[in-house]
Amino acid sequence: SSGINAEYGGIYHVYFILYSTIWDIKHPNYETWAGRWKTLTFITCMINCWYFIASFLHEFLLTLLLPECITKKVRCFLDKVFGSVVCPAALLVVCAFWPIYLYAPNMIWSARYSEACGPVYGHMMHSLLAVMALVEVVNYNHKYPSFFKGLVMCSAFAVFYVCWLYYQRAFIGVWPYAILHKFSEKQRMVFVGGVVGLLGVLYTLQYILHHVVHPTKSTTESTTAASKTKSRKAE
């Protein structure tokens, strides 16, 4: 069951929402157009919030109030969203943030952010996302969509955020990340394309990890049959 991780994930993300909406009003982006929704980190955090809170409600409330046929559909939908968007996006935020931050902190996390939010808050956002996603992968056997269908959903999310990036540039004339200002147009396209490619790699790796930790029934049966055949031949 995903109850334990849903509980702690739900509690953490409720805290994140409260912190972001009540105490974090001094964030440099708070009063600007689109606010903190400019960045992939905040969007991913909110998607994780919705997923873990929905999982928490499903685990501890919906299963008691709704018929099993409905709760199964809800769980199936949550599983598809997790495997296609929630987990890959969480891993991307961590894998994209830390190399840039360690090389040139101001290119990805400006000093204004640290003054407003504190470095601990920033490091939590860019670390716990991946930790919770990986714990969820290992802890619970999700019903992932097929690899191709999941990849299509993951690609749709990537296209959405790339369009959102360029819309921000066209609408307010700035990029949400300082590093994007440093590149020429071609370099920027290569960088964005590389990040999208990294998202595809991370999607594939977490998909493989999930199926290794939680093999399907057909895989288990074929493995068992193969071992029995070998033992018979040995006899």
PDB file of all heavy atoms in Angstrom, residues 160-176 180 184-190 192-193:
ATOM      1  N   PHE A 160       4.398  21.524 -23.081  1.00  0.00           N
ATOM      2  CA  PHE A 160       3.672  22.571 -22.354  1.00  0.00           C
ATOM      3  C   PHE A 160       4.648  23.548 -21.695  1.00  0.00           C
ATOM      4  O   PHE A 160       4.495  24.770 -21.825  1.00  0.00           O
ATOM      5  CB  PHE A 160       2.766  21.944 -21.288  1.00  0.00           C
ATOM      6  CG  PHE A 160       2.428  22.886 -20.157  1.00  0.00           C
ATOM      7  CD1 PHE A 160       1.514  23.910 -20.339  1.00  0.00           C
ATOM      8  CD2 PHE A 160       3.059  22.758 -18.919  1.00  0.00           C
ATOM      9  CE1 PHE A 160       1.220  24.790 -19.300  1.00  0.00           C
ATOM     10  CE2 PHE A 160       2.768  23.627 -17.885  1.00  0.00           C
ATOM     11  CZ  PHE A 160       1.841  24.646 -18.079  1.00  0.00           C
ATOM     12  N   TYR A 161       5.674  23.031 -20.996  1.00  0.00           N
ATOM     13  CA  TYR A 161       6.546  23.948 -20.263  1.00  0.00           C
ATOM     14  C   TYR A 161       7.463  24.725 -21.218  1.00  0.00           C
ATOM     15  O   TYR A 161       7.751  25.896 -20.972  1.00  0.00           O
ATOM     16  CB  TYR A 161       7.390  23.216 -19.225  1.00  0.00           C
ATOM     17  CG  TYR A 161       8.133  24.219 -18.360  1.00  0.00           C
ATOM     18  CD1 TYR A 161       7.442  24.996 -17.428  1.00  0.00           C
ATOM     19  CD2 TYR A 161       9.494  24.455 -18.529  1.00  0.00           C
ATOM     20  CE1 TYR A 161       8.078  25.964 -16.674  1.00  0.00           C
ATOM     21  CE2 TYR A 161      10.139  25.421 -17.781  1.00  0.00           C
ATOM     22  CZ  TYR A 161       9.428  26.176 -16.847  1.00  0.00           C
ATOM     23  OH  TYR A 161      10.078  27.144 -16.119  1.00  0.00           O
ATOM     24  N   VAL A 162       7.905  24.107 -22.306  1.00  0.00           N
ATOM     25  CA  VAL A 162       8.721  24.843 -23.278  1.00  0.00           C
ATOM     26  C   VAL A 162       7.907  25.994 -23.878  1.00  0.00           C
ATOM     27  O   VAL A 162       8.403  27.124 -24.010  1.00  0.00           O
ATOM     28  CB  VAL A 162       9.234  23.895 -24.384  1.00  0.00           C
ATOM     29  CG1 VAL A 162       9.878  24.695 -25.513  1.00  0.00           C
ATOM     30  CG2 VAL A 162      10.236  22.902 -23.816  1.00  0.00           C
ATOM     31  N   CYS A 163       6.645  25.721 -24.222  1.00  0.00           N
ATOM     32  CA  CYS A 163       5.768  26.780 -24.728  1.00  0.00           C
ATOM     33  C   CYS A 163       5.564  27.863 -23.676  1.00  0.00           C
ATOM     34  O   CYS A 163       5.534  29.064 -23.986  1.00  0.00           O
ATOM     35  CB  CYS A 163       4.420  26.189 -25.138  1.00  0.00           C
ATOM     36  SG  CYS A 163       4.484  25.115 -26.593  1.00  0.00           S
ATOM     37  N   TRP A 164       5.443  27.456 -22.422  1.00  0.00           N
ATOM     38  CA  TRP A 164       5.272  28.396 -21.323  1.00  0.00           C
ATOM     39  C   TRP A 164       6.519  29.277 -21.166  1.00  0.00           C
ATOM     40  O   TRP A 164       6.412  30.490 -20.917  1.00  0.00           O
ATOM     41  CB  TRP A 164       4.975  27.622 -20.049  1.00  0.00           C
ATOM     42  CG  TRP A 164       4.797  28.412 -18.785  1.00  0.00           C
ATOM     43  CD1 TRP A 164       5.409  28.174 -17.594  1.00  0.00           C
ATOM     44  CD2 TRP A 164       3.934  29.530 -18.553  1.00  0.00           C
ATOM     45  NE1 TRP A 164       4.994  29.061 -16.637  1.00  0.00           N
ATOM     46  CE2 TRP A 164       4.081  29.913 -17.194  1.00  0.00           C
ATOM     47  CE3 TRP A 164       3.054  30.241 -19.359  1.00  0.00           C
ATOM     48  CZ2 TRP A 164       3.384  30.980 -16.644  1.00  0.00           C
ATOM     49  CZ3 TRP A 164       2.349  31.317 -18.794  1.00  0.00           C
ATOM     50  CH2 TRP A 164       2.530  31.664 -17.456  1.00  0.00           C
ATOM     51  N   LEU A 165       7.701  28.678 -21.326  1.00  0.00           N
ATOM     52  CA  LEU A 165       8.946  29.443 -21.264  1.00  0.00           C
ATOM     53  C   LEU A 165       8.975  30.546 -22.316  1.00  0.00           C
ATOM     54  O   LEU A 165       9.248  31.718 -22.014  1.00  0.00           O
ATOM     55  CB  LEU A 165      10.145  28.518 -21.503  1.00  0.00           C
ATOM     56  CG  LEU A 165      10.776  27.781 -20.330  1.00  0.00           C
ATOM     57  CD1 LEU A 165      11.929  26.934 -20.832  1.00  0.00           C
ATOM     58  CD2 LEU A 165      11.270  28.751 -19.266  1.00  0.00           C
ATOM     59  N   TYR A 166       8.696  30.175 -23.565  1.00  0.00           N
ATOM     60  CA  TYR A 166       8.782  31.137 -24.665  1.00  0.00           C
ATOM     61  C   TYR A 166       7.637  32.146 -24.620  1.00  0.00           C
ATOM     62  O   TYR A 166       7.791  33.285 -25.082  1.00  0.00           O
ATOM     63  CB  TYR A 166       8.821  30.394 -26.005  1.00  0.00           C
ATOM     64  CG  TYR A 166      10.195  29.863 -26.325  1.00  0.00           C
ATOM     65  CD1 TYR A 166      10.609  28.614 -25.890  1.00  0.00           C
ATOM     66  CD2 TYR A 166      11.105  30.634 -27.040  1.00  0.00           C
ATOM     67  CE1 TYR A 166      11.884  28.137 -26.167  1.00  0.00           C
ATOM     68  CE2 TYR A 166      12.384  30.173 -27.328  1.00  0.00           C
ATOM     69  CZ  TYR A 166      12.765  28.921 -26.874  1.00  0.00           C
ATOM     70  OH  TYR A 166      14.037  28.460 -27.158  1.00  0.00           O
ATOM     71  N   TYR A 167       6.502  31.744 -24.054  1.00  0.00           N
ATOM     72  CA  TYR A 167       5.403  32.692 -23.887  1.00  0.00           C
ATOM     73  C   TYR A 167       5.796  33.771 -22.883  1.00  0.00           C
ATOM     74  O   TYR A 167       5.491  34.958 -23.086  1.00  0.00           O
ATOM     75  CB  TYR A 167       4.155  31.953 -23.405  1.00  0.00           C
ATOM     76  CG  TYR A 167       2.964  32.867 -23.210  1.00  0.00           C
ATOM     77  CD1 TYR A 167       2.229  33.325 -24.301  1.00  0.00           C
ATOM     78  CD2 TYR A 167       2.586  33.278 -21.928  1.00  0.00           C
ATOM     79  CE1 TYR A 167       1.142  34.174 -24.127  1.00  0.00           C
ATOM     80  CE2 TYR A 167       1.508  34.118 -21.738  1.00  0.00           C
ATOM     81  CZ  TYR A 167       0.778  34.563 -22.843  1.00  0.00           C
ATOM     82  OH  TYR A 167      -0.284  35.401 -22.664  1.00  0.00           O
ATOM     83  N   GLN A 168       6.467  33.377 -21.822  1.00  0.00           N
ATOM     84  CA  GLN A 168       6.931  34.353 -20.835  1.00  0.00           C
ATOM     85  C   GLN A 168       7.892  35.348 -21.476  1.00  0.00           C
ATOM     86  O   GLN A 168       7.820  36.555 -21.230  1.00  0.00           O
ATOM     87  CB  GLN A 168       7.630  33.643 -19.676  1.00  0.00           C
ATOM     88  CG  GLN A 168       6.715  32.821 -18.802  1.00  0.00           C
ATOM     89  CD  GLN A 168       7.484  32.137 -17.689  1.00  0.00           C
ATOM     90  OE1 GLN A 168       8.132  32.788 -16.884  1.00  0.00           O
ATOM     91  NE2 GLN A 168       7.419  30.813 -17.636  1.00  0.00           N
ATOM     92  N   ARG A 169       8.784  34.823 -22.294  1.00  0.00           N
ATOM     93  CA  ARG A 169       9.751  35.686 -22.982  1.00  0.00           C
ATOM     94  C   ARG A 169       9.041  36.670 -23.904  1.00  0.00           C
ATOM     95  O   ARG A 169       9.371  37.861 -23.949  1.00  0.00           O
ATOM     96  CB  ARG A 169      10.725  34.811 -23.787  1.00  0.00           C
ATOM     97  CG  ARG A 169      11.709  35.592 -24.647  1.00  0.00           C
ATOM     98  CD  ARG A 169      12.611  36.478 -23.810  1.00  0.00           C
ATOM     99  NE  ARG A 169      13.609  37.128 -24.632  1.00  0.00           N
ATOM    100  CZ  ARG A 169      14.474  38.031 -24.183  1.00  0.00           C
ATOM    101  NH1 ARG A 169      14.460  38.379 -22.907  1.00  0.00           N
ATOM    102  NH2 ARG A 169      15.347  38.585 -24.991  1.00  0.00           N
ATOM    103  N   ALA A 170       8.017  36.185 -24.614  1.00  0.00           N
ATOM    104  CA  ALA A 170       7.301  37.044 -25.549  1.00  0.00           C
ATOM    105  C   ALA A 170       6.405  38.048 -24.819  1.00  0.00           C
ATOM    106  O   ALA A 170       6.234  39.190 -25.276  1.00  0.00           O
ATOM    107  CB  ALA A 170       6.460  36.188 -26.497  1.00  0.00           C
ATOM    108  N   PHE A 171       5.853  37.616 -23.681  1.00  0.00           N
ATOM    109  CA  PHE A 171       4.862  38.442 -22.990  1.00  0.00           C
ATOM    110  C   PHE A 171       5.497  39.492 -22.084  1.00  0.00           C
ATOM    111  O   PHE A 171       5.071  40.651 -22.071  1.00  0.00           O
ATOM    112  CB  PHE A 171       3.926  37.548 -22.165  1.00  0.00           C
ATOM    113  CG  PHE A 171       2.743  38.263 -21.596  1.00  0.00           C
ATOM    114  CD1 PHE A 171       1.664  38.589 -22.393  1.00  0.00           C
ATOM    115  CD2 PHE A 171       2.707  38.619 -20.244  1.00  0.00           C
ATOM    116  CE1 PHE A 171       0.562  39.259 -21.868  1.00  0.00           C
ATOM    117  CE2 PHE A 171       1.618  39.289 -19.710  1.00  0.00           C
ATOM    118  CZ  PHE A 171       0.537  39.605 -20.527  1.00  0.00           C
ATOM    119  N   ILE A 172       6.501  39.113 -21.301  1.00  0.00           N
ATOM    120  CA  ILE A 172       7.107  40.070 -20.357  1.00  0.00           C
ATOM    121  C   ILE A 172       8.576  40.351 -20.660  1.00  0.00           C
ATOM    122  O   ILE A 172       9.206  41.141 -19.979  1.00  0.00           O
ATOM    123  CB  ILE A 172       6.966  39.577 -18.898  1.00  0.00           C
ATOM    124  CG1 ILE A 172       7.632  38.214 -18.713  1.00  0.00           C
ATOM    125  CG2 ILE A 172       5.526  39.520 -18.480  1.00  0.00           C
ATOM    126  CD1 ILE A 172       7.600  37.715 -17.272  1.00  0.00           C
ATOM    127  N   GLY A 173       9.122  39.667 -21.675  1.00  0.00           N
ATOM    128  CA  GLY A 173      10.474  39.982 -22.118  1.00  0.00           C
ATOM    129  C   GLY A 173      11.602  39.429 -21.277  1.00  0.00           C
ATOM    130  O   GLY A 173      12.748  39.881 -21.411  1.00  0.00           O
ATOM    131  N   VAL A 174      11.315  38.490 -20.395  1.00  0.00           N
ATOM    132  CA  VAL A 174      12.365  37.908 -19.566  1.00  0.00           C
ATOM    133  C   VAL A 174      12.219  36.395 -19.550  1.00  0.00           C
ATOM    134  O   VAL A 174      11.151  35.842 -19.827  1.00  0.00           O
ATOM    135  CB  VAL A 174      12.315  38.439 -18.109  1.00  0.00           C
ATOM    136  CG1 VAL A 174      12.536  39.929 -18.076  1.00  0.00           C
ATOM    137  CG2 VAL A 174      10.992  38.073 -17.458  1.00  0.00           C
ATOM    138  N   TRP A 175      13.337  35.743 -19.189  1.00  0.00           N
ATOM    139  CA  TRP A 175      13.322  34.303 -18.959  1.00  0.00           C
ATOM    140  C   TRP A 175      13.254  34.054 -17.455  1.00  0.00           C
ATOM    141  O   TRP A 175      13.798  34.840 -16.683  1.00  0.00           O
ATOM    142  CB  TRP A 175      14.587  33.654 -19.536  1.00  0.00           C
ATOM    143  CG  TRP A 175      14.749  33.803 -21.008  1.00  0.00           C
ATOM    144  CD1 TRP A 175      15.553  34.698 -21.642  1.00  0.00           C
ATOM    145  CD2 TRP A 175      14.102  33.036 -22.025  1.00  0.00           C
ATOM    146  NE1 TRP A 175      15.445  34.557 -23.006  1.00  0.00           N
ATOM    147  CE2 TRP A 175      14.563  33.536 -23.275  1.00  0.00           C
ATOM    148  CE3 TRP A 175      13.182  31.987 -22.029  1.00  0.00           C
ATOM    149  CZ2 TRP A 175      14.128  33.016 -24.490  1.00  0.00           C
ATOM    150  CZ3 TRP A 175      12.754  31.470 -23.232  1.00  0.00           C
ATOM    151  CH2 TRP A 175      13.219  31.969 -24.438  1.00  0.00           C
ATOM    152  N   PRO A 176      12.615  32.982 -17.030  1.00  0.00           N
ATOM    153  CA  PRO A 176      12.510  32.734 -15.585  1.00  0.00           C
ATOM    154  C   PRO A 176      13.821  32.350 -14.927  1.00  0.00           C
ATOM    155  O   PRO A 176      13.950  32.437 -13.704  1.00  0.00           O
ATOM    156  CB  PRO A 176      11.492  31.590 -15.501  1.00  0.00           C
ATOM    157  CG  PRO A 176      11.572  30.910 -16.822  1.00  0.00           C
ATOM    158  CD  PRO A 176      11.876  31.984 -17.800  1.00  0.00           C
ATOM    159  N   LEU A 180      19.318  31.315 -18.937  1.00  0.00           N
ATOM    160  CA  LEU A 180      18.785  31.405 -20.295  1.00  0.00           C
ATOM    161  C   LEU A 180      19.115  32.743 -20.943  1.00  0.00           C
ATOM    162  O   LEU A 180      19.138  32.844 -22.176  1.00  0.00           O
ATOM    163  CB  LEU A 180      17.270  31.189 -20.275  1.00  0.00           C
ATOM    164  CG  LEU A 180      16.811  29.793 -19.860  1.00  0.00           C
ATOM    165  CD1 LEU A 180      15.290  29.739 -19.762  1.00  0.00           C
ATOM    166  CD2 LEU A 180      17.313  28.739 -20.840  1.00  0.00           C
ATOM    167  N   SER A 184      22.987  32.419 -26.551  1.00  0.00           N
ATOM    168  CA  SER A 184      22.438  32.893 -27.810  1.00  0.00           C
ATOM    169  C   SER A 184      21.193  32.073 -28.124  1.00  0.00           C
ATOM    170  O   SER A 184      20.890  31.096 -27.434  1.00  0.00           O
ATOM    171  CB  SER A 184      23.468  32.728 -28.933  1.00  0.00           C
ATOM    172  OG  SER A 184      23.729  31.343 -29.159  1.00  0.00           O
ATOM    173  N   GLU A 185      20.474  32.451 -29.169  1.00  0.00           N
ATOM    174  CA  GLU A 185      19.240  31.745 -29.492  1.00  0.00           C
ATOM    175  C   GLU A 185      19.500  30.273 -29.797  1.00  0.00           C
ATOM    176  O   GLU A 185      18.772  29.386 -29.330  1.00  0.00           O
ATOM    177  CB  GLU A 185      18.542  32.404 -30.690  1.00  0.00           C
ATOM    178  CG  GLU A 185      17.149  31.849 -30.977  1.00  0.00           C
ATOM    179  CD  GLU A 185      16.193  32.023 -29.813  1.00  0.00           C
ATOM    180  OE1 GLU A 185      16.272  33.042 -29.108  1.00  0.00           O
ATOM    181  OE2 GLU A 185      15.364  31.109 -29.602  1.00  0.00           O
ATOM    182  N   LYS A 186      20.562  29.994 -30.562  1.00  0.00           N
ATOM    183  CA  LYS A 186      20.887  28.600 -30.895  1.00  0.00           C
ATOM    184  C   LYS A 186      21.319  27.829 -29.649  1.00  0.00           C
ATOM    185  O   LYS A 186      20.909  26.681 -29.451  1.00  0.00           O
ATOM    186  CB  LYS A 186      21.987  28.556 -31.958  1.00  0.00           C
ATOM    187  CG  LYS A 186      21.539  29.014 -33.338  1.00  0.00           C
ATOM    188  CD  LYS A 186      22.652  28.875 -34.355  1.00  0.00           C
ATOM    189  CE  LYS A 186      22.192  29.302 -35.746  1.00  0.00           C
ATOM    190  NZ  LYS A 186      23.280  29.175 -36.751  1.00  0.00           N
ATOM    191  N   GLN A 187      22.149  28.450 -28.835  1.00  0.00           N
ATOM    192  CA  GLN A 187      22.585  27.797 -27.598  1.00  0.00           C
ATOM    193  C   GLN A 187      21.404  27.528 -26.678  1.00  0.00           C
ATOM    194  O   GLN A 187      21.321  26.475 -26.037  1.00  0.00           O
ATOM    195  CB  GLN A 187      23.617  28.674 -26.881  1.00  0.00           C
ATOM    196  CG  GLN A 187      24.941  28.780 -27.591  1.00  0.00           C
ATOM    197  CD  GLN A 187      25.853  29.808 -26.939  1.00  0.00           C
ATOM    198  OE1 GLN A 187      25.399  30.773 -26.320  1.00  0.00           O
ATOM    199  NE2 GLN A 187      27.157  29.607 -27.082  1.00  0.00           N
ATOM    200  N   ARG A 188      20.471  28.457 -26.648  1.00  0.00           N
ATOM    201  CA  ARG A 188      19.286  28.290 -25.804  1.00  0.00           C
ATOM    202  C   ARG A 188      18.441  27.117 -26.287  1.00  0.00           C
ATOM    203  O   ARG A 188      17.938  26.322 -25.485  1.00  0.00           O
ATOM    204  CB  ARG A 188      18.463  29.578 -25.801  1.00  0.00           C
ATOM    205  CG  ARG A 188      17.404  29.630 -24.719  1.00  0.00           C
ATOM    206  CD  ARG A 188      16.665  30.949 -24.748  1.00  0.00           C
ATOM    207  NE  ARG A 188      17.572  32.067 -24.494  1.00  0.00           N
ATOM    208  CZ  ARG A 188      17.845  33.026 -25.372  1.00  0.00           C
ATOM    209  NH1 ARG A 188      17.288  33.005 -26.567  1.00  0.00           N
ATOM    210  NH2 ARG A 188      18.691  33.992 -25.063  1.00  0.00           N
ATOM    211  N   MET A 189      18.295  27.001 -27.594  1.00  0.00           N
ATOM    212  CA  MET A 189      17.517  25.899 -28.154  1.00  0.00           C
ATOM    213  C   MET A 189      18.176  24.558 -27.852  1.00  0.00           C
ATOM    214  O   MET A 189      17.500  23.580 -27.530  1.00  0.00           O
ATOM    215  CB  MET A 189      17.343  26.088 -29.661  1.00  0.00           C
ATOM    216  CG  MET A 189      16.445  27.255 -30.044  1.00  0.00           C
ATOM    217  SD  MET A 189      16.347  27.511 -31.835  1.00  0.00           S
ATOM    218  CE  MET A 189      15.534  25.995 -32.337  1.00  0.00           C
ATOM    219  N   VAL A 190      19.511  24.522 -27.943  1.00  0.00           N
ATOM    220  CA  VAL A 190      20.239  23.292 -27.626  1.00  0.00           C
ATOM    221  C   VAL A 190      20.076  22.950 -26.153  1.00  0.00           C
ATOM    222  O   VAL A 190      19.852  21.790 -25.786  1.00  0.00           O
ATOM    223  CB  VAL A 190      21.729  23.435 -27.985  1.00  0.00           C
ATOM    224  CG1 VAL A 190      22.527  22.244 -27.457  1.00  0.00           C
ATOM    225  CG2 VAL A 190      21.902  23.547 -29.489  1.00  0.00           C
ATOM    226  N   VAL A 192      17.632  23.881 -24.017  1.00  0.00           N
ATOM    227  CA  VAL A 192      16.252  23.456 -23.743  1.00  0.00           C
ATOM    228  C   VAL A 192      16.012  22.057 -24.304  1.00  0.00           C
ATOM    229  O   VAL A 192      15.392  21.205 -23.648  1.00  0.00           O
ATOM    230  CB  VAL A 192      15.249  24.468 -24.331  1.00  0.00           C
ATOM    231  CG1 VAL A 192      13.822  23.934 -24.221  1.00  0.00           C
ATOM    232  CG2 VAL A 192      15.356  25.810 -23.614  1.00  0.00           C
ATOM    233  N   GLY A 193      16.528  21.805 -25.512  1.00  0.00           N
ATOM    234  CA  GLY A 193      16.393  20.474 -26.094  1.00  0.00           C
ATOM    235  C   GLY A 193      17.090  19.415 -25.256  1.00  0.00           C
ATOM    236  O   GLY A 193      16.581  18.292 -25.101  1.00  0.00           O
TER     237      GLY A 193
END
